Amino acid sequence: MPMLMPQVTNLRLLFFSPFPHLSLSSLSLKPLKPRTLFTALASSYRRRHRPIPNQSPNPGARNKTTLRESRGRDKAMEETKETETAGFNKRRAEGNDKNDRPKKNLQRKVRTLNPINTLSYVQVLGTGMDTQDTSPSVLLFFDKQRFIFNAGEGLQRFCTEHKIKLSKIDHIFLSRVCSETAGGLPGLLLTLAGMGEEGMSVNVWGPSDLKYLIDAMRCFIPNAAMVHTRSFGPSVGGLMASQTKFTEPIVLVDDEVVKISAIVLQPIFSNGAQLLNELSITQNPTEKVSNDRVDVSKPFSPNGKNSPTGKPGDMSIIYVCELPEIKGKFDPEKAKALGLKPGSKYRELQLGNSVKSDFQNITVHPSDVMDPSIPGPIVFLVDCPMESHLQELLSMQCLSSYYADFSGPPENAKVVTCVIHLGPASLISSPNYQSWMKRFGSAQHILAGHERKNVEIPILRSSARIAAQLNYLCPQFFPAPGFWSLQHLDCLAPESTPSSEGSVSKVCESISAENLLKFTLRPYARLGLDRSVIPSQVASSEIIDELLSEIPEVVDAAQCVSQLWHQSTETKEEIRLTHDDKVIVEEPWFDENTLPSCLENIRRDDLEIVLLGTGSSQPSKYRNVSSIHINLFSKGGLLLDCGEGTLGQLKRRYGVEGADNAVRGLRCIWISHIHADHHTGLARILTLRRDLLKEVPHEPLLVVGPRKLKFFLDAYQRLEDLDMQFLDCKHTTEASLHAFEGVTETNKDHSFLGSPTSFEDLRDKNTDRQVAQKVDSTLFAKGSRMQSYWKRPGSPVDNNVVFPILKSLQKVLEEAGLEALMSFPVIHCPQAFGVVLRASERWNSVGKVIPGWKIVYSGDTRPCPELKEASRGATVLIHEATFEDGMVDEAIARNHSTTKEAIEVGNSAGVFRIILTHFSQRYPKIPVFDDTHMHKTCIGFDMMSINIADLPVLPKVLPYLKLLFRNEMIIDESDEVVDAAASVAS
């Protein structure tokens, strides 16, 4: 197979195709030109911040990873020499540090193939099986090659959990291009780019609409991540091309190990099929797809109206994997009888060549001296997502030679060994689909679509185990997972869950997929299903018994934690916990007189903060990446950041149906910055909400984020409708909002969005100009901290777009019982923000006004004046604490915070409670921290659910949490993951 270019120096999409109907590209995803940031901030920081001495509470435990983390940052630290007194990396904050990182020449992996494979199998990777949020992946394994089909959210976390080395993956094939099948691709590519000294690359295959996903990803994937994309099928345009041009399999890989072909499955629409067939392909499929810039944000219609015709994202692919035949055994006795002498002619016959007999006047053919060959196994991967695809599937003529009832020439007949079905169980159980399955004769069918019974078996066992332990210790902050209730799992009978397997098995040989189920292809003697590595189900009682045997003190600790909720606030009893020969004494902060007034008569259904992801950079075994669900109960909810796997975490916390309700109830999603660990779960959430509400009148969901995020969302919406409206964070800053209001209001102390009528007044064209001037004179004023960061020459504020969205924001906040959502700039990367949420005032039974609570979320940042000012008097500050106290240099180089710095911000701002999150992957379970300063602070864990009524108790739980992890090793992730996390921007 022809090799791609070893290096792309001009950083452009390059497409060429040695195959018919196949477009190839070698793509370096180049980000938009970075903007400068906070040019005036360094001088003020020199006076305020001094570097903290590099000392750790446990320095011996950190030496190995500190050295690992320090690699490749010499240049960055040179730049921060000046800023050692300033306290942050100005080049990184401005986005000018790209050239400081080692240049990587990411090459496609070229492996020496082993045509005589000693081992080969297909294996179901159960991503999404327990949460039903994404499509499972399938691994095709050979001795020297690995192929993965589909890369939904959670794939790399799954691979870390089950020790599947990402560095061994050569090819990724997408059966569809959508958030369900490709949501994990951006994070996976970033991780591969960060591995080793040179980084690693991978071939990504998919239908022609793969182009839109790649275009969207270029908005945030750095140019260090080289992606070799190969697209095939109908040309991308406003409408799917004619189906008649793509009725035959398209060969993608053909070597001595495997032949992989793709069959394009386009949906048939009742009203649009005729139109589809009448249209010709706008360009030759072998031409450059990158030249096709047709706007596909809306379905094509010849009359300008919506038509039920195909669009990008609708194409599905059937992949056919054919292994070479197994040649029969050579029989030397037969060769001798036909007059052949041992030697070179024996070898020629084994290679399939005919030879002349040495002693007889005959020609000896291989079939004369060799046993019959055994046809190579054939595996189908079928993704039929909708009824409209099934109609096309049933009529495909190119599949006829694979059917058991094939009536053509016998030499053309092929026997399918295994069919893996990725479609939904409801469609697979339909009579038409079952009849189609029967046509494959004796093939083994594996049903990998979402099965209800799989919901009860956690796929991420490590995090589920910790969740069970935390639930035992403190069920108030760690409620039982929605899908794995400790009591429900124990009493679940295997036969109690309905499955489509029973009805299908009446038609053909089929089973429901289980996590890590294998079907062995080589050696031939072991051909068939292999359940040996399917994880065994572990009952909650076993987990707790194991915990109690390791840490017997947990029994008393759980009782002490329970007492925290039952003791009276007037009781000043000291609660002691003996641990490591030390006595931890309760400090006198739990006093009703010290409570903030916003907590007076607070209701439990007012607010709950659910930490869905508390890790940084990339998902790990124990911590997912950043996401926080602000649960306002009957008033809906908000998401603060939305890293990969956010939907899966919602499902784990609330259950499958409960998470759907949470997604329906979302009022707003706020994104702090463009790094992948903070927003790559967004598309999956938005598409699910779109589907859940498609039959219900509703408004598009409001997404507030940095401007670069809009570029990604706009590009992605060419692939899938996200049903959202976007508002730039800069329009929700205090300065910007006051500028908008100031034109029509003289009193700057009113509600931050002003009166509803102010929006109507601001629609006047003259007023528009006044507002633009006002904004320029304040937020974007020359020399201001944000001028170089946001201001674009010749790009005035588009008030006609902004005002209606601000009005939508006002409505959303009112419905959610919120008075304010206000963003503020922080120091991390260009266009990085934190956010303030403030609840509306309320009245008690005697008419006293009670102020609303205030939550501040830092996003990723160094400590900075804007964050401190925004946090003043906050009820809760959720602050990133990526590094421990002894790693200030690393924190400065990467513009993150240490634990101590985060706590100092909260203390100086008079915050009531501090929750630390966004921990480096070097701390797999619990980070290192100093107990001395934790009197109002708690460490965040995934799935931690903090009700506002429980805030007084929050810090007192921390010593018991530390007890739970006292025996844990600091480094528990594979070297591959830790090294990658050190290299990928976070």
Side-chain angles (χ1 to χ4, degrees):
M1 180 176 179
M3 297 295 297
L4 290 177
M5 298 176 64
Q7 185 176 8
V8 179
T9 57
N10 59 0
L11 303 179
R12 292 183 302 173
L13 282 168
L14 297 180
F15 293 80
F16 59 93
S17 177
F19 306 114
H21 312 316
L22 183 61
S23 301
L24 294 83
S25 67
S26 183
L27 165 63
S28 180
L29 297 175
K30 182 179 180 182
L32 300 173
K33 185 177 180 181
R35 308 291 172 208
T36 59
L37 171 63
F38 305 119
T39 53
L41 196 53
S43 59
S44 66
Y45 246 54
R46 288 192 191 94
R47 298 189 298 271
R48 301 183 193 190
H49 292 262
R50 304 290 178 192
I52 301 173
N54 191 357
Q55 40 188 327
S56 169
N58 186 10
R62 285 294 175 258
N63 289 341
K64 179 179 177 182
T65 51
T66 299
L67 289 173
R68 180 188 294 132
E69 200 76 359
S70 299
R71 292 185 308 182
R73 61 181 179 82
D74 293 341
K75 268 195 169 183
M77 292 311 299
E78 281 179 16
E79 174 60 32
T80 57
K81 244 178 209 181
E82 175 210 348
T83 61
E84 282 178 348
T85 55
F88 72 100
N89 182 345
K90 188 174 77 169
R91 286 179 60 81
R92 182 175 177 86
E94 294 174 336
N96 294 328
D97 64 331
K98 307 298 183 184
N99 295 328
D100 297 342
R101 302 169 189 171
K103 297 295 182 183
K104 294 186 177 183
N105 181 19
L106 300 186
Q107 302 291 328
R108 287 191 306 127
K109 294 185 285 292
V110 179
R111 304 189 191 277
T112 302
L113 301 181
N114 178 15
I116 306 176
N117 281 280
T118 57
L119 181 64
S120 176
Y121 57 80
V122 286
Q123 184 175 31
V124 177
L125 309 183
T127 53
M129 275 190 169
D130 56 345
T131 52
Q132 301 189 1
D133 63 307
T134 190
S135 174
S137 297
V138 176
L139 171 68
L140 176 58
F141 178 96
F142 295 96
D143 290 342
K144 300 293 184 179
Q145 281 185 304
R146 312 284 193 277
F147 304 87
I148 278 187
F149 296 85
N150 288 340
E153 290 187 22
L155 176 59
Q156 63 173 320
R157 191 180 187 192
F158 178 93
C159 291
T160 301
E161 169 85 14
H162 296 286
K163 295 181 171 56
I164 298 173
K165 288 188 175 294
L166 297 174
S167 59
K168 300 294 185 182
I169 305 301
D170 296 309
H171 302 266
I172 296 176
F173 296 86
L174 301 180
S175 63
R176 283 177 288 137
V177 184
C178 60
S179 60
E180 185 180 0
T181 59
L185 192 58
L188 185 63
L189 296 178
L190 284 169
T191 298
L192 289 170
M195 285 182 177
E197 296 296 328
E198 293 299 325
M200 312 209 64
S201 186
V202 68
N203 299 286
V204 181
W205 303 76
S208 52
D209 43 18
L210 174 62
K211 162 191 161 39
Y212 292 115
L213 179 61
I214 299 301
D215 282 350
M217 289 193 303
R218 77 164 61 235
C219 299
F220 61 88
I221 292 187
N223 56 7
M226 183 75 72
V227 187
H228 301 276
T229 62
R230 303 186 171 200
S231 58
F232 51 85
S235 301
V236 178
L239 181 67
M240 278 190 183
S242 170
Q243 301 177 41
T244 59
K245 299 288 186 179
F246 298 92
T247 56
E248 296 300 320
I250 305 169
V251 178
L252 308 179
V253 176
D254 193 1
D255 54 36
E256 58 264 45
V257 172
V258 66
K259 175 183 176 182
I260 299 179
S261 305
I263 300 173
V264 179
L265 184 61
Q266 298 185 62
I268 294 179
F269 296 94
S270 57
N271 296 329
Q274 182 177 355
L275 177 62
L276 277 170
N277 291 323
E278 290 174 353
L279 291 176
S280 60
I281 300 177
T282 57
Q283 61 182 32
N284 190 306
T286 62
E287 292 178 353
K288 296 181 180 180
V289 179
S290 59
N291 289 337
D292 189 355
R293 298 293 181 184
V294 180
D295 183 8
V296 293
S297 58
K298 296 181 180 180
F300 173 86
S301 173
N303 300 321
K305 299 180 180 179
N306 288 336
S307 174
T309 55
K311 62 183 183 300
D314 282 343
M315 274 185 286
S316 184
I317 303 299
I318 299 172
Y319 286 106
V320 183
C321 307
E322 302 179 64
L323 276 63
E325 66 178 10
I326 303 173
K327 294 185 178 181
K329 185 178 179 181
F330 178 79
D331 189 339
E333 294 299 324
K334 289 183 179 180
K336 184 178 180 180
L338 294 173
L340 287 173
K341 295 188 298 185
S344 59
K345 291 185 178 180
Y346 278 20
R347 176 170 176 77
E348 288 296 317
L349 287 166
Q350 292 180 61
L351 292 174
N353 302 320
S354 299
V355 298
K356 286 284 188 180
S357 173
D358 294 313
F359 300 111
Q360 301 179 27
N361 187 23
I362 59 173
T363 298
V364 180
H365 302 286
S367 59
D368 298 330
V369 295
M370 298 187 70
D371 293 338
S373 296
I374 301 174
I378 298 176
V379 177
F380 267 56
L381 288 100
V382 182
D383 187 356
C384 184
M386 297 184 296
E387 185 70 29
S388 54
H389 292 84
L390 178 57
Q391 297 177 42
E392 171 70 3
L393 180 64
L394 297 176
S395 62
M396 277 190 163
Q397 295 300 314
C398 63
L399 297 177
S400 59
S401 61
Y402 297 96
Y403 295 147
D405 57 1
F406 177 62
S407 59
E411 61 271 19
N412 294 338
K414 300 179 180 181
V415 179
V416 176
T417 312
C418 177
V419 183
I420 300 177
H421 303 269
L422 302 175
S426 58
L427 187 142
I428 291 174
S429 61
S430 68
N432 286 339
Y433 197 95
Q434 290 188 31
S435 297
W436 178 77
M437 291 170 61
K438 188 177 181 180
R439 301 193 68 181
F440 289 100
S442 60
Q444 175 67 63
H445 294 267
I446 299 176
L447 313 181
H450 296 320
E451 291 280 355
R452 194 68 180 178
K453 67 178 183 180
N454 289 327
V455 172
E456 306 297 335
I457 306 172
I459 298 304
L460 303 175
R461 293 164 59 88
S462 298
S463 61
R465 178 179 293 272
I466 285 186
Q469 295 173 348
L470 289 168
N471 173 259
Y472 174 84
L473 177 64
C474 182
Q476 295 85 357
F477 285 143
F478 301 95
F483 70 95
W484 196 27
S485 165
L486 298 182
Q487 296 78 21
H488 178 61
L489 185 60
D490 290 338
C491 65
L492 178 69
E495 63 274 6
S496 65
T497 52
S499 170
S500 64
E501 179 182 334
S503 59
V504 178
S505 61
K506 299 176 182 177
V507 179
C508 50
E509 188 67 29
S510 64
I511 63 165
S512 292
E514 297 177 77
N515 184 30
L516 299 181
L517 174 69
K518 288 183 181 179
F519 188 92
T520 302
L521 305 173
R522 296 275 199 267
Y524 182 76
R526 290 164 48 192
L527 183 73
L529 294 169
D530 178 2
R531 299 176 178 269
S532 61
V533 294
I534 294 176
S536 58
Q537 184 169 311
V538 179
S540 61
S541 57
E542 296 179 38
I543 296 174
I544 302 307
D545 289 344
E546 181 181 324
L547 172 65
L548 298 183
S549 65
E550 293 177 357
I551 311 176
E553 301 94 324
V554 168
V555 176
D556 293 334
Q559 294 176 355
C560 292
V561 169
S562 178
Q563 285 298 315
L564 295 177
W565 271 265
H566 292 93
Q567 67 182 5
S568 169
T569 55
E570 287 78 21
T571 302
K572 301 302 180 182
E573 297 177 354
E574 291 183 344
I575 299 177
R576 294 177 173 85
L577 170 66
T578 303
H579 172 42
D580 293 342
D581 299 325
K582 296 180 181 179
V583 177
I584 301 172
V585 183
E586 178 188 3
E587 297 186 42
W589 63 80
F590 188 34
D591 188 333
E592 187 177 8
N593 296 326
T594 65
L595 293 180
S597 56
C598 66
L599 297 184
E600 180 183 335
N601 296 329
I602 197 72
R603 294 168 54 95
R604 297 195 66 84
D605 60 354
D606 192 67
L607 166 69
E608 185 176 62
I609 301 170
V610 180
L611 305 179
L612 299 174
T614 56
S616 69
S617 183
Q618 66 184 71
S620 70
K621 285 171 64 175
Y622 304 105
R623 295 183 184 272
N624 202 52
V625 287
S626 298
S627 185
I628 302 168
H629 183 228
I630 303 298
N631 184 9
L632 302 173
F633 296 93
S634 62
K635 296 178 181 178
L638 294 84
L639 283 176
L640 306 181
D641 278 334
C642 191
E644 177 188 337
T646 292
L647 178 58
Q649 294 292 85
L650 281 171
K651 302 266 187 178
R652 294 181 179 96
R653 169 60 182 87
Y654 297 112
V656 173
E657 295 179 0
D660 286 349
N661 291 332
V663 172
R664 285 189 189 96
L666 283 176
R667 302 292 187 179
C668 174
I669 300 178
W670 182 91
I671 304 296
S672 61
H673 62 290
I674 197 64
H675 283 163
D677 58 326
H678 291 259
H679 75 84
T680 49
L682 187 56
R684 190 73 194 98
I685 291 284
L686 292 174
T687 53
L688 175 62
R689 179 182 180 272
R690 175 204 65 199
D691 294 340
L692 292 172
L693 298 177
K694 62 183 178 182
E695 304 297 334
V696 181
H698 66 280
E699 296 293 327
L701 185 61
L702 183 61
V703 176
V704 182
R707 183 178 62 247
K708 277 189 177 182
L709 180 63
K710 185 177 189 301
F711 300 151
F712 165 69
L713 295 173
D714 286 348
Y716 191 92
Q717 286 205 111
R718 294 164 63 89
L719 182 65
E720 286 187 282
D721 176 25
L722 298 179
D723 191 23
M724 49 76 63
Q725 55 181 342
F726 182 84
L727 181 62
D728 196 325
C729 278
K730 72 179 182 182
H731 295 309
T732 64
T733 62
E734 185 175 21
S736 181
L737 291 166
H738 277 309
F740 283 122
E741 294 175 344
V743 175
T744 56
E745 300 286 343
T746 57
N747 182 4
K748 299 297 194 304
D749 296 327
H750 56 46
S751 169
F752 87 102
L753 278 176
S755 63
T757 58
S758 65
F759 288 97
E760 305 303 325
D761 298 338
L762 289 173
R763 298 300 296 274
D764 180 83
K765 291 184 178 180
N766 293 329
T767 305
D768 287 351
R769 287 193 292 270
Q770 295 176 34
V771 170
Q773 293 171 2
K774 181 72 174 178
V775 171
D776 282 343
S777 66
T778 55
L779 183 62
F780 305 135
K782 184 176 181 180
S784 72
R785 291 172 180 169
M786 291 166 282
Q787 186 270 340
S788 62
Y789 168 35
W790 279 324
K791 181 66 174 174
R792 270 187 171 187
S795 299
V797 178
D798 188 353
N799 299 313
N800 289 326
V801 174
V802 173
F803 293 154
I805 300 179
L806 282 174
K807 191 171 183 179
S808 296
L809 175 61
Q810 181 186 39
K811 179 182 177 183
V812 163
L813 296 179
E814 289 174 351
E815 292 173 348
L818 299 177
E819 178 183 303
L821 182 153
M822 192 176 299
S823 305
F824 55 89
V826 295
I827 301 175
H828 180 58
C829 66
Q831 302 182 44
F833 294 88
V835 68
V836 176
L837 292 177
R838 188 166 64 245
S840 301
E841 296 177 340
R842 54 193 173 89
W843 291 264
N844 63 13
S845 57
V846 297
K848 176 184 175 183
V849 176
I850 301 175
W853 45 259
K854 177 181 176 181
I855 296 176
V856 179
Y857 171 49
S858 70
D860 287 6
T861 184
R862 291 290 297 147
C864 60
E866 284 78 7
L867 174 58
K868 180 178 177 181
E869 184 62 31
S871 301
R872 291 198 183 281
T875 316
V876 179
L877 169 62
I878 306 171
H879 200 300
E880 74 118 292
T882 307
F883 296 107
E884 63 184 277
D885 296 344
M887 300 185 69
V888 181
D889 288 347
E890 284 80 359
I892 292 174
R894 300 186 182 185
N895 283 342
H896 285 295
S897 299
T898 66
T899 299
K900 184 176 180 181
E901 289 173 330
I903 295 172
E904 286 178 345
V905 170
N907 287 338
S908 63
V911 171
F912 178 60
R913 291 292 178 255
I914 304 168
I915 302 172
L916 301 182
T917 186
H918 197 269
F919 303 111
S920 168
Q921 301 296 7
R922 68 182 59 247
Y923 318 114
K925 294 183 180 179
I926 191 168
V928 171
F929 57 89
D930 185 353
D931 292 326
T932 307
H933 308 289
M934 304 295 284
H935 62 278
K936 63 168 64 175
T937 305
C938 193
I939 300 295
F941 294 86
D942 282 20
M943 302 299 153
M944 192 174 190
S945 303
I946 305 160
N947 193 285
I948 190 170
D950 297 330
L951 286 178
V953 183
L954 182 62
K956 298 194 291 184
V957 174
L958 184 58
Y960 303 98
L961 297 179
K962 192 174 181 180
L963 166 68
L964 188 64
F965 299 107
R966 72 180 187 186
N967 297 328
E968 299 299 336
M969 296 290 291
I970 297 303
I971 292 296
D972 194 41
E973 302 294 325
S974 67
D975 288 342
E976 181 179 44
V977 170
V978 174
D979 287 343
S983 301
V984 177
S986 60

